[in-house]
Amino acid sequence: MSEPAAWTHQQVHHQVHRRVHAAMTAAMRADVHAIEAALARTGDLDPYSREFVAGSRRLVLAGTAALTCVLSAHRPGDDPHGGQVCRGCGTRHCRTLHGVADVLAAYTVHPGTVDRAEAWRRADAHFGRGAVPVPVIIEEFADGFIARAADGPHDDPAPLLIVDRHTGALSRWPSLPVDVLVREYTNRRASR
């Protein structure tokens, strides 16, 4: 078993969700045109391997989308007595969820960390909101990245964005000195 037996349904669900999300994110980041160009340049692969590599991004996206559907059905809930159960099967120990967790662990599917480029991409999308790109300043720290729009509005009560290195989650923060912001963010992560 990949998770400690004492883990709650919610903890296992969270770990499986992170692993599925990591696989989906890796597939979405893959450049299909670069894959096609690499396949066109090399003749080293047999036809079956070429076909697999050419369709691998689509296959991973389909598989992770299907697993997301499974996770939406087999998610944590409360029973009438205040205990935790699976909403999909009504049991305390969801065989479906634990089976998916074991398979993902066996094939070493682990959440990837967010790098500086991905943090910038997420901050750019957040601050730009689909409009004209906004210059973004990124500062790195152990648990993530602090991002600010270079020309952000001066009346914004939470002008800073933190991109979590481990989950990619975004959170808005007030303008604080970097050391204070890092300490507060680290404390908040530890309390979850």
Side-chain angles (χ1 to χ4, degrees), residues 29-108:
R29 286 182 184 170
D31 182 346
V32 70
H33 301 295
I35 293 169
E36 290 170 356
L39 287 173
R41 283 191 307 269
T42 183
D44 297 341
L45 296 176
D46 63 88
Y48 300 108
S49 297
R50 289 177 64 81
E51 183 179 342
F52 174 77
V53 171
S56 62
R57 180 177 184 270
R58 188 177 62 252
L59 178 64
V60 171
L61 288 172
T64 54
L67 285 173
T68 300
C69 292
V70 170
L71 290 175
S72 70
H74 292 273
R75 64 186 193 279
D78 294 328
D79 68 13
H81 308 291
Q84 206 175 66
V85 296
C86 172
R87 291 184 181 186
C89 57
T91 64
R92 291 188 188 278
H93 182 83
C94 175
R95 289 176 49 193
T96 301
L97 185 61
H98 284 275
V100 171
D102 289 344
V103 168
L104 293 176
Y107 285 91
T108 62

Side-chain angles (χ1 to χ4, degrees), residues 147-158:
R148 65 177 53 86
D151 300 324
H154 299 289
D155 59 346
D156 188 348

